PDB file of all heavy atoms in Angstrom:
ATOM      1  N   THR A 271     -33.526-200.254  90.858  1.00 95.00           N
ATOM      2  CA  THR A 271     -33.309-199.752  92.189  1.00 95.00           C
ATOM      3  C   THR A 271     -33.553-200.965  93.175  1.00 95.00           C
ATOM      4  O   THR A 271     -34.138-201.883  92.835  1.00 95.00           O
ATOM      5  CB  THR A 271     -34.190-198.546  92.414  1.00 95.00           C
ATOM      6  OG1 THR A 271     -33.828-197.989  93.721  1.00 95.00           O
ATOM      7  CG2 THR A 271     -35.687-198.986  92.506  1.00 95.00           C
ATOM      8  N   ILE A 317     -30.910-191.920  89.795  1.00 98.00           N
ATOM      9  CA  ILE A 317     -32.016-191.102  89.214  1.00 98.00           C
ATOM     10  C   ILE A 317     -31.755-189.656  89.259  1.00 98.00           C
ATOM     11  O   ILE A 317     -32.222-188.882  88.361  1.00 98.00           O
ATOM     12  CB  ILE A 317     -33.374-191.580  89.897  1.00 98.00           C
ATOM     13  CG1 ILE A 317     -34.480-190.976  89.098  1.00 98.00           C
ATOM     14  CG2 ILE A 317     -33.485-191.034  91.297  1.00 98.00           C
ATOM     15  CD1 ILE A 317     -34.873-191.675  87.757  1.00 98.00           C
ATOM     16  N   THR A 318     -31.093-189.269  90.298  1.00 98.00           N
ATOM     17  CA  THR A 318     -30.877-187.833  90.489  1.00 98.00           C
ATOM     18  C   THR A 318     -30.197-187.272  89.236  1.00 98.00           C
ATOM     19  O   THR A 318     -30.538-186.125  88.715  1.00 98.00           O
ATOM     20  CB  THR A 318     -30.116-187.467  91.736  1.00 98.00           C
ATOM     21  OG1 THR A 318     -30.662-188.008  92.824  1.00 98.00           O
ATOM     22  CG2 THR A 318     -29.917-186.003  91.929  1.00 98.00           C
ATOM     23  N   THR A 392     -30.899-179.877  98.165  1.00 98.00           N
ATOM     24  CA  THR A 392     -30.421-181.147  98.601  1.00 98.00           C
ATOM     25  C   THR A 392     -31.375-182.255  98.266  1.00 98.00           C
ATOM     26  O   THR A 392     -32.547-181.917  98.081  1.00 98.00           O
ATOM     27  CB  THR A 392     -30.266-181.222 100.183  1.00 98.00           C
ATOM     28  OG1 THR A 392     -31.527-181.057 100.823  1.00 98.00           O
ATOM     29  CG2 THR A 392     -29.242-180.187 100.714  1.00 98.00           C
ATOM     30  N   VAL A 393     -30.874-183.383  98.300  1.00 97.00           N
ATOM     31  CA  VAL A 393     -31.789-184.627  97.928  1.00 97.00           C
ATOM     32  C   VAL A 393     -31.151-185.849  98.353  1.00 97.00           C
ATOM     33  O   VAL A 393     -29.964-185.957  98.464  1.00 97.00           O
ATOM     34  CB  VAL A 393     -31.899-184.694  96.301  1.00 97.00           C
ATOM     35  CG1 VAL A 393     -30.498-184.823  95.725  1.00 97.00           C
ATOM     36  CG2 VAL A 393     -32.764-185.910  95.917  1.00 97.00           C
ATOM     37  N   GLY A 394     -31.984-186.870  98.651  1.00 95.00           N
ATOM     38  CA  GLY A 394     -31.524-188.213  98.888  1.00 95.00           C
ATOM     39  C   GLY A 394     -31.772-188.783 100.279  1.00 95.00           C
ATOM     40  O   GLY A 394     -31.841-189.898 100.534  1.00 95.00           O
ATOM     41  N   GLU A 395     -31.805-187.821 101.239  1.00 94.00           N
ATOM     42  CA  GLU A 395     -31.934-188.284 102.642  1.00 94.00           C
ATOM     43  C   GLU A 395     -32.257-187.079 103.435  1.00 94.00           C
ATOM     44  O   GLU A 395     -32.074-185.964 103.014  1.00 94.00           O
ATOM     45  CB  GLU A 395     -30.606-188.908 103.193  1.00 94.00           C
ATOM     46  CG  GLU A 395     -29.392-188.211 102.630  1.00 94.00           C
ATOM     47  CD  GLU A 395     -28.088-188.451 103.254  1.00 94.00           C
ATOM     48  OE1 GLU A 395     -28.083-188.910 104.366  1.00 94.00           O
ATOM     49  OE2 GLU A 395     -27.149-188.098 102.589  1.00 94.00           O
ATOM     50  N   PRO A 396     -32.778-187.332 104.599  1.00 93.00           N
ATOM     51  CA  PRO A 396     -33.064-186.094 105.537  1.00 93.00           C
ATOM     52  C   PRO A 396     -31.828-185.345 105.796  1.00 93.00           C
ATOM     53  O   PRO A 396     -30.789-185.892 105.857  1.00 93.00           O
ATOM     54  CB  PRO A 396     -33.597-186.782 106.760  1.00 93.00           C
ATOM     55  CG  PRO A 396     -34.007-188.166 106.467  1.00 93.00           C
ATOM     56  CD  PRO A 396     -33.032-188.574 105.301  1.00 93.00           C
ATOM     57  N   ILE A 397     -31.981-184.011 105.809  1.00 95.00           N
ATOM     58  CA  ILE A 397     -30.799-183.070 106.252  1.00 95.00           C
ATOM     59  C   ILE A 397     -31.118-182.655 107.588  1.00 95.00           C
ATOM     60  O   ILE A 397     -32.120-182.081 107.907  1.00 95.00           O
ATOM     61  CB  ILE A 397     -30.457-182.009 105.155  1.00 95.00           C
ATOM     62  CG1 ILE A 397     -29.245-181.309 105.692  1.00 95.00           C
ATOM     63  CG2 ILE A 397     -31.719-181.072 104.943  1.00 95.00           C
ATOM     64  CD1 ILE A 397     -28.693-180.386 104.560  1.00 95.00           C
ATOM     65  N   ASP A 418     -35.021-178.498  99.939  1.00 98.00           N
ATOM     66  CA  ASP A 418     -34.726-179.811 100.403  1.00 98.00           C
ATOM     67  C   ASP A 418     -35.835-180.628  99.778  1.00 98.00           C
ATOM     68  O   ASP A 418     -36.984-180.608 100.016  1.00 98.00           O
ATOM     69  CB  ASP A 418     -34.979-179.882 101.920  1.00 98.00           C
ATOM     70  CG  ASP A 418     -34.910-181.244 102.624  1.00 98.00           C
ATOM     71  OD1 ASP A 418     -34.882-182.299 101.831  1.00 98.00           O
ATOM     72  OD2 ASP A 418     -35.002-181.334 103.779  1.00 98.00           O
ATOM     73  N   THR A 419     -35.367-181.425  98.679  1.00 98.00           N
ATOM     74  CA  THR A 419     -36.309-182.029  97.821  1.00 98.00           C
ATOM     75  C   THR A 419     -36.542-183.511  98.085  1.00 98.00           C
ATOM     76  O   THR A 419     -35.536-184.355  97.991  1.00 98.00           O
ATOM     77  CB  THR A 419     -35.894-181.869  96.415  1.00 98.00           C
ATOM     78  OG1 THR A 419     -34.587-182.509  96.220  1.00 98.00           O
ATOM     79  CG2 THR A 419     -35.737-180.373  95.931  1.00 98.00           C
ATOM     80  N   TRP A 420     -37.713-183.861  98.468  1.00 98.00           N
ATOM     81  CA  TRP A 420     -38.005-185.364  98.667  1.00 98.00           C
ATOM     82  C   TRP A 420     -38.573-185.927  97.437  1.00 98.00           C
ATOM     83  O   TRP A 420     -39.459-185.413  96.758  1.00 98.00           O
ATOM     84  CB  TRP A 420     -39.020-185.491  99.785  1.00 98.00           C
ATOM     85  CG  TRP A 420     -39.332-187.029  99.866  1.00 98.00           C
ATOM     86  CD1 TRP A 420     -38.592-187.942 100.611  1.00 98.00           C
ATOM     87  CD2 TRP A 420     -40.353-187.742  99.183  1.00 98.00           C
ATOM     88  NE1 TRP A 420     -39.190-189.228 100.466  1.00 98.00           N
ATOM     89  CE2 TRP A 420     -40.307-189.192  99.522  1.00 98.00           C
ATOM     90  CE3 TRP A 420     -41.318-187.415  98.323  1.00 98.00           C
ATOM     91  CZ2 TRP A 420     -41.075-190.113  99.054  1.00 98.00           C
ATOM     92  CZ3 TRP A 420     -42.174-188.431  97.799  1.00 98.00           C
ATOM     93  CH2 TRP A 420     -42.032-189.790  98.118  1.00 98.00           C
ATOM     94  N   TRP A 421     -37.965-187.062  96.940  1.00 98.00           N
ATOM     95  CA  TRP A 421     -38.508-187.812  95.758  1.00 98.00           C
ATOM     96  C   TRP A 421     -37.836-189.161  95.755  1.00 98.00           C
ATOM     97  O   TRP A 421     -37.013-189.485  96.647  1.00 98.00           O
ATOM     98  CB  TRP A 421     -38.408-187.056  94.541  1.00 98.00           C
ATOM     99  CG  TRP A 421     -37.025-186.534  94.071  1.00 98.00           C
ATOM    100  CD1 TRP A 421     -36.288-185.646  94.650  1.00 98.00           C
ATOM    101  CD2 TRP A 421     -36.321-187.037  92.887  1.00 98.00           C
ATOM    102  NE1 TRP A 421     -35.160-185.409  93.912  1.00 98.00           N
ATOM    103  CE2 TRP A 421     -35.130-186.228  92.855  1.00 98.00           C
ATOM    104  CE3 TRP A 421     -36.675-187.944  91.947  1.00 98.00           C
ATOM    105  CZ2 TRP A 421     -34.176-186.466  91.886  1.00 98.00           C
ATOM    106  CZ3 TRP A 421     -35.661-188.153  90.886  1.00 98.00           C
ATOM    107  CH2 TRP A 421     -34.436-187.390  90.931  1.00 98.00           C
ATOM    108  N   GLN A 422     -38.073-189.940  94.738  1.00 98.00           N
ATOM    109  CA  GLN A 422     -37.591-191.293  94.635  1.00 98.00           C
ATOM    110  C   GLN A 422     -37.248-191.675  93.207  1.00 98.00           C
ATOM    111  O   GLN A 422     -37.916-191.026  92.310  1.00 98.00           O
ATOM    112  CB  GLN A 422     -38.477-192.282  95.126  1.00 98.00           C
ATOM    113  CG  GLN A 422     -39.170-192.050  96.463  1.00 98.00           C
ATOM    114  CD  GLN A 422     -40.161-193.162  96.803  1.00 98.00           C
ATOM    115  OE1 GLN A 422     -41.195-193.307  96.212  1.00 98.00           O
ATOM    116  NE2 GLN A 422     -39.762-193.999  97.794  1.00 98.00           N
ATOM    117  N   THR A 423     -36.458-192.718  93.032  1.00 97.00           N
ATOM    118  CA  THR A 423     -36.363-193.312  91.658  1.00 97.00           C
ATOM    119  C   THR A 423     -37.685-193.463  91.009  1.00 97.00           C
ATOM    120  O   THR A 423     -37.966-193.150  89.820  1.00 97.00           O
ATOM    121  CB  THR A 423     -35.656-194.667  91.767  1.00 97.00           C
ATOM    122  OG1 THR A 423     -34.403-194.434  92.518  1.00 97.00           O
ATOM    123  CG2 THR A 423     -35.370-195.286  90.436  1.00 97.00           C
ATOM    124  N   GLU A 424     -38.643-193.943  91.822  1.00 98.00           N
ATOM    125  CA  GLU A 424     -40.017-194.255  91.232  1.00 98.00           C
ATOM    126  C   GLU A 424     -40.881-193.045  90.924  1.00 98.00           C
ATOM    127  O   GLU A 424     -41.759-193.011  90.009  1.00 98.00           O
ATOM    128  CB  GLU A 424     -40.790-195.015  92.248  1.00 98.00           C
ATOM    129  CG  GLU A 424     -40.256-196.443  92.540  1.00 98.00           C
ATOM    130  CD  GLU A 424     -39.186-196.594  93.527  1.00 98.00           C
ATOM    131  OE1 GLU A 424     -38.585-195.507  93.903  1.00 98.00           O
ATOM    132  OE2 GLU A 424     -38.891-197.704  94.067  1.00 98.00           O
ATOM    133  N   ALA A 444     -38.728-181.154 104.650  1.00 98.00           N
ATOM    134  CA  ALA A 444     -38.624-180.861 103.192  1.00 98.00           C
ATOM    135  C   ALA A 444     -39.608-179.807 102.745  1.00 98.00           C
ATOM    136  O   ALA A 444     -39.293-179.002 101.820  1.00 98.00           O
ATOM    137  CB  ALA A 444     -38.957-182.260 102.477  1.00 98.00           C
ATOM    138  N   PRO A 511     -44.799-194.808  99.249  1.00 97.00           N
ATOM    139  CA  PRO A 511     -43.302-194.829  98.892  1.00 97.00           C
ATOM    140  C   PRO A 511     -42.502-195.553  99.890  1.00 97.00           C
ATOM    141  O   PRO A 511     -41.190-195.593  99.748  1.00 97.00           O
ATOM    142  CB  PRO A 511     -43.057-193.306  98.869  1.00 97.00           C
ATOM    143  CG  PRO A 511     -44.150-192.621  99.539  1.00 97.00           C
ATOM    144  CD  PRO A 511     -45.283-193.618  99.739  1.00 97.00           C
ATOM    145  N   ASP A 513     -41.806-194.665 103.066  1.00 96.00           N
ATOM    146  CA  ASP A 513     -41.118-193.720 103.946  1.00 96.00           C
ATOM    147  C   ASP A 513     -42.051-193.372 105.167  1.00 96.00           C
ATOM    148  O   ASP A 513     -43.316-193.308 104.971  1.00 96.00           O
ATOM    149  CB  ASP A 513     -40.758-192.478 103.247  1.00 96.00           C
ATOM    150  CG  ASP A 513     -39.408-192.466 102.537  1.00 96.00           C
ATOM    151  OD1 ASP A 513     -38.525-193.274 102.959  1.00 96.00           O
ATOM    152  OD2 ASP A 513     -39.243-191.717 101.471  1.00 96.00           O
ATOM    153  N   ILE A 525     -39.426-185.898 106.585  1.00 96.00           N
ATOM    154  CA  ILE A 525     -39.258-187.408 106.191  1.00 96.00           C
ATOM    155  C   ILE A 525     -38.447-187.960 107.405  1.00 96.00           C
ATOM    156  O   ILE A 525     -37.399-187.465 107.689  1.00 96.00           O
ATOM    157  CB  ILE A 525     -38.589-187.532 104.852  1.00 96.00           C
ATOM    158  CG1 ILE A 525     -39.268-186.662 103.780  1.00 96.00           C
ATOM    159  CG2 ILE A 525     -38.343-189.019 104.498  1.00 96.00           C
ATOM    160  CD1 ILE A 525     -40.578-187.182 103.398  1.00 96.00           C
ATOM    161  N   GLY A 527     -37.544-191.395 107.103  1.00 91.00           N
ATOM    162  CA  GLY A 527     -36.681-192.435 106.553  1.00 91.00           C
ATOM    163  C   GLY A 527     -37.590-193.624 106.200  1.00 91.00           C
ATOM    164  O   GLY A 527     -38.759-193.737 106.363  1.00 91.00           O
ATOM    165  N   ARG A 528     -36.850-194.687 105.652  1.00 91.00           N
ATOM    166  CA  ARG A 528     -37.586-195.857 105.066  1.00 91.00           C
ATOM    167  C   ARG A 528     -38.227-196.639 106.152  1.00 91.00           C
ATOM    168  O   ARG A 528     -37.611-196.798 107.296  1.00 91.00           O
ATOM    169  CB  ARG A 528     -36.593-196.688 104.316  1.00 91.00           C
ATOM    170  CG  ARG A 528     -35.737-196.015 103.163  1.00 91.00           C
ATOM    171  CD  ARG A 528     -36.529-195.796 102.037  1.00 91.00           C
ATOM    172  NE  ARG A 528     -37.174-197.005 101.505  1.00 91.00           N
ATOM    173  CZ  ARG A 528     -37.652-196.965 100.151  1.00 91.00           C
ATOM    174  NH1 ARG A 528     -37.628-195.952  99.431  1.00 91.00           N
ATOM    175  NH2 ARG A 528     -38.232-198.091  99.756  1.00 91.00           N
ATOM    176  N   ASN A 534     -30.219-196.325 103.581  1.00 94.00           N
ATOM    177  CA  ASN A 534     -29.811-195.290 102.764  1.00 94.00           C
ATOM    178  C   ASN A 534     -28.322-194.810 103.123  1.00 94.00           C
ATOM    179  O   ASN A 534     -28.167-194.108 104.091  1.00 94.00           O
ATOM    180  CB  ASN A 534     -30.819-194.074 103.102  1.00 94.00           C
ATOM    181  CG  ASN A 534     -30.664-192.922 102.036  1.00 94.00           C
ATOM    182  OD1 ASN A 534     -29.513-192.655 101.596  1.00 94.00           O
ATOM    183  ND2 ASN A 534     -31.726-192.253 101.764  1.00 94.00           N
ATOM    184  N   GLY A 537     -27.075-191.319 100.692  1.00 89.00           N
ATOM    185  CA  GLY A 537     -28.118-190.995  99.678  1.00 89.00           C
ATOM    186  C   GLY A 537     -28.384-192.045  98.652  1.00 89.00           C
ATOM    187  O   GLY A 537     -29.131-191.732  97.691  1.00 89.00           O
ATOM    188  N   HIS A 538     -27.709-193.178  98.861  1.00 91.00           N
ATOM    189  CA  HIS A 538     -27.974-194.256  97.887  1.00 91.00           C
ATOM    190  C   HIS A 538     -28.781-195.404  98.548  1.00 91.00           C
ATOM    191  O   HIS A 538     -28.463-195.751  99.665  1.00 91.00           O
ATOM    192  CB  HIS A 538     -26.622-194.789  97.290  1.00 91.00           C
ATOM    193  CG  HIS A 538     -25.831-193.682  96.646  1.00 91.00           C
ATOM    194  ND1 HIS A 538     -26.425-192.902  95.719  1.00 91.00           N
ATOM    195  CD2 HIS A 538     -24.559-193.379  96.765  1.00 91.00           C
ATOM    196  CE1 HIS A 538     -25.550-192.035  95.239  1.00 91.00           C
ATOM    197  NE2 HIS A 538     -24.399-192.252  95.856  1.00 91.00           N
ATOM    198  N   ARG A 539     -29.749-195.835  97.741  1.00 92.00           N
ATOM    199  CA  ARG A 539     -30.557-196.926  98.342  1.00 92.00           C
ATOM    200  C   ARG A 539     -29.978-198.285  98.170  1.00 92.00           C
ATOM    201  O   ARG A 539     -29.606-198.762  97.054  1.00 92.00           O
ATOM    202  CB  ARG A 539     -31.930-196.864  97.565  1.00 92.00           C
ATOM    203  CG  ARG A 539     -32.945-197.613  98.271  1.00 92.00           C
ATOM    204  CD  ARG A 539     -34.013-197.975  97.322  1.00 92.00           C
ATOM    205  NE  ARG A 539     -34.740-196.770  96.863  1.00 92.00           N
ATOM    206  CZ  ARG A 539     -35.897-196.996  96.227  1.00 92.00           C
ATOM    207  NH1 ARG A 539     -36.476-198.090  96.040  1.00 92.00           N
ATOM    208  NH2 ARG A 539     -36.525-195.785  95.694  1.00 92.00           N
TER     209      ARG A 539
HETATM  210  C1  LIG B 701     -35.418-192.518  99.134  1.00 87.12           C
HETATM  211  C2  LIG B 701     -35.319-192.616  97.607  1.00 87.12           C
HETATM  212  C3  LIG B 701     -34.424-188.960  94.822  1.00 87.12           C
HETATM  213  C4  LIG B 701     -33.129-189.255  94.385  1.00 87.12           C
HETATM  214  C5  LIG B 701     -32.115-189.844  95.251  1.00 87.12           C
HETATM  215  C6  LIG B 701     -32.571-191.039  96.098  1.00 87.12           C
HETATM  216  C7  LIG B 701     -34.939-190.847 100.633  1.00 87.12           C
HETATM  217  C8  LIG B 701     -34.868-188.818  99.121  1.00 87.12           C
HETATM  218  C9  LIG B 701     -35.091-187.191 100.553  1.00 87.12           C
HETATM  219  C10 LIG B 701     -35.261-185.930 101.294  1.00 87.12           C
HETATM  220  C11 LIG B 701     -35.471-187.268 103.228  1.00 87.12           C
HETATM  221  C12 LIG B 701     -35.156-188.413 101.255  1.00 87.12           C
HETATM  222  C13 LIG B 701     -36.322-191.413 100.936  1.00 87.12           C
HETATM  223  C14 LIG B 701     -36.705-191.907  99.552  1.00 87.12           C
HETATM  224  N1  LIG B 701     -34.988-189.397 100.352  1.00 87.12           N
HETATM  225  N2  LIG B 701     -34.951-187.474  99.159  1.00 87.12           N
HETATM  226  N3  LIG B 701     -35.157-184.787 100.684  1.00 87.12           N
HETATM  227  N4  LIG B 701     -35.443-186.037 102.650  1.00 87.12           N
HETATM  228  N5  LIG B 701     -35.381-188.457 102.626  1.00 87.12           N
HETATM  229  O1  LIG B 701     -33.447-191.865  95.270  1.00 87.12           O
HETATM  230  O2  LIG B 701     -32.509-194.161  95.704  1.00 87.12           O
HETATM  231  O3  LIG B 701     -34.871-193.778  94.918  1.00 87.12           O
HETATM  232  O4  LIG B 701     -34.227-193.277  97.244  1.00 87.12           O
HETATM  233  O5  LIG B 701     -34.463-191.536  99.446  1.00 87.12           O
HETATM  234  O6  LIG B 701     -36.196-192.400 101.865  1.00 87.12           O
HETATM  235  O7  LIG B 701     -37.662-192.978  99.646  1.00 87.12           O
HETATM  236  P1  LIG B 701     -33.708-193.288  95.744  1.00 87.12           P
END
Side-chain angles (χ1 to χ4, degrees):
T271 188
I317 192 73
T318 307
T392 64
V393 58
E395 36 164 344
I397 182 160
D418 170 357
T419 60
W420 176 88
W421 57 292
Q422 311 179 291
T423 304
E424 292 87 344
D513 270 333
I525 307 294
R528 304 286 303 194
N534 190 327
H538 299 314
R539 196 203 292 195

